[in-house]
Amino acid sequence: MSAERTTEPVEQRGFLLFLGFVTLALLMVVLPFARPLLWAAMGAIVFQPLYRWFLLRRPGKESQSALASMVVILFAVVLPSLWIGSAVVDEAAGLFLAFSEGDIDVAMYFEQVFSALPANIQASLASAGFGELSAVQERVTAFVQASLGLIAQQALAIGGSVFGFVLSFGIALYVGFFLLRDGRMVGDAVLAALPMERGVADRLAERFLTIVRATIKGSVVVGLVQGALGALTFWIVGVPSVLLLGVIMAIASLLPALGPAIVWVPAAIYLLATGAIWEGIAVIVSGVALIGMADNVLRPILVGRDTGIPDWLILVTTLGGIAMMGLSGIVVGPLVCGLFLAGWGIFAEQRAPAAAQTAEPPG
């Protein structure tokens, strides 16, 4: 008996070491496809109600319901996104060439806007080093060329590895189908296998689902709506490259407080300064009454409940996630932050009774 008891801890540690090794090996194997797997998982979470809607009308037909959901996602979300992305890349490439070849006269635009500003603002800009055309032109041209060039480089990277893009796209759709159909079963199995209390695992899982849905519905969907409204506004007033500006506004909507105003406010100032009065007023009215209010109206409807993450943490983690993972970081950044806060909150709750007992004076 004593020999068996002696070997049990050794065997248990050996088995845990084996589990850690094979888990690390699996992560290394799937790492090249981490992004399509991530988007497949997030899509399955967000579109689970659609799958349930089809399943309610086709009881017992899980595969058919998942396939119908994937068809709707493909034609309603994926294909329009690819079309818009290709159009945005074309506009960005055209603007990049125009700036590089000097077809866009930055000097004329700067003179028009600067001369229309009040004298005190002109003096403040001049004291800050923005009064000289050459300095401003150099900064603006470098910034615009770098931004547009980055978009063009990403497009060339995708186009240069068409096979890899198609493979990742196919994996995302294929895995998304099975996660829609078997997602709840897989989730329950993962929670049951986690080395932690089931109550804690359930709370973290609920937090995970809440943040994913809130980020995609409350940020991505609202951003797309604001970007579409901004693009429509710019198209009505005759501003060029409306798709590119709309996508920039959609991305800027992730920034708390400022949001799409980063794009439409300078556009309105330029229109007013160059004599396009009604166009500038239209952009201001649309920015305040439509674009700005879309967030206040749609986010409570789509999200339903708050993520509990402060705005400044959302800003930092979103930008950090984008810097590390590209567009996937829009969701991954706030998700990591939310799980961090939830984990430490649960840990503090668990320590609270022990701390209270320690603080009690002896009877």
Side-chain angles (χ1 to χ4, degrees), residues 3-362:
E4 293 180 358
R5 291 177 182 175
T6 305
T7 58
E8 282 180 1
V10 176
E11 293 173 351
Q12 183 66 20
R13 286 194 292 268
F15 180 64
L16 292 177
L17 181 62
F18 168 77
L19 285 180
F21 175 76
V22 295
T23 302
L24 180 61
L26 178 64
L27 292 176
M28 294 178 63
V29 169
V30 302
L31 186 61
F33 302 102
R35 292 184 181 180
L37 292 176
L38 175 64
W39 283 107
M42 292 188 297
I45 292 173
V46 172
F47 290 102
Q48 188 67 208
L50 177 64
Y51 165 73
R52 293 293 168 185
W53 185 85
F54 280 113
L55 187 60
L56 186 63
R57 284 149 182 79
R58 300 282 294 174
K61 305 293 184 180
E62 289 82 4
S63 297
Q64 294 181 9
S65 300
L67 182 61
S69 301
M70 292 303 300
V71 171
V72 173
I73 294 171
L74 179 64
F75 285 95
V77 178
V78 177
L79 293 182
S81 299
L82 293 177
W83 177 80
I84 293 175
S86 63
V88 167
V89 169
D90 290 340
E91 291 187 358
L95 284 177
F96 178 75
L97 291 176
F99 270 94
S100 300
E101 297 174 359
D103 295 337
I104 297 180
D105 192 353
V106 180
M108 180 188 68
Y109 297 147
F110 177 80
E111 288 292 347
Q112 289 177 339
V113 175
F114 190 80
S115 61
L117 295 175
N120 57 341
I121 297 181
Q122 292 185 17
S124 300
L125 292 176
S127 62
F130 291 96
E132 296 182 3
L133 172 61
S134 58
V136 176
Q137 181 177 358
E138 182 179 353
R139 296 180 186 179
V140 172
T141 303
F143 174 76
V144 173
Q145 287 186 358
S147 303
L148 298 176
L150 179 62
I151 298 176
Q153 290 174 6
Q154 294 295 326
L156 291 175
I158 295 175
S161 57
V162 176
F163 176 76
F165 175 77
V166 173
L167 181 61
S168 298
F169 182 72
I171 289 175
L173 293 179
Y174 185 74
V175 175
F177 167 81
F178 288 101
L179 289 180
L180 272 176
R181 191 188 67 178
D182 307 324
R184 291 195 173 185
M185 181 179 64
V186 172
D188 290 338
V190 171
L191 292 178
L194 288 177
M196 62 179 67
E197 297 179 9
R198 184 56 189 261
V200 174
D202 289 337
R203 290 178 62 181
L204 291 176
E206 182 183 0
R207 187 68 170 160
F208 173 85
L209 296 176
T210 299
I211 295 173
V212 170
R213 289 170 180 154
T215 303
I216 295 180
K217 290 182 179 180
S219 297
V220 176
V221 175
V222 173
L224 292 176
V225 171
Q226 291 182 314
L229 291 174
L232 180 62
T233 301
F234 291 142
W235 177 75
I236 291 175
V237 301
V239 175
S241 303
V242 294
L243 284 178
L244 177 60
L245 293 176
V247 170
I248 295 175
M249 291 181 67
I251 296 174
S253 67
L254 299 171
L255 303 178
L258 299 176
I262 297 176
V263 179
W264 67 259
V265 168
I269 293 175
Y270 167 74
L271 291 172
L272 293 175
T274 54
I277 303 301
W278 77 266
E279 291 89 345
I281 294 176
V283 170
I284 294 175
V285 172
S286 176
V288 175
L290 294 178
I291 301 172
M293 291 299 295
D295 181 82
N296 298 328
V297 174
L298 292 178
R299 194 178 298 272
I301 297 175
L302 294 173
V303 177
R305 51 182 172 174
D306 189 13
T307 61
I309 306 176
D311 285 345
W312 66 272
L313 271 180
I314 292 178
L315 173 62
V316 173
T317 54
T318 299
L319 294 178
I322 293 174
M324 290 185 62
M325 303 186 61
L327 290 179
S328 302
I330 294 175
V331 177
V332 174
L335 176 60
V336 172
C337 179
L339 292 178
F340 170 82
L341 295 177
W344 278 100
I346 295 173
F347 181 72
E349 292 176 5
Q350 293 177 341
R351 289 197 60 191
Q357 293 178 2
T358 305
E360 290 180 0

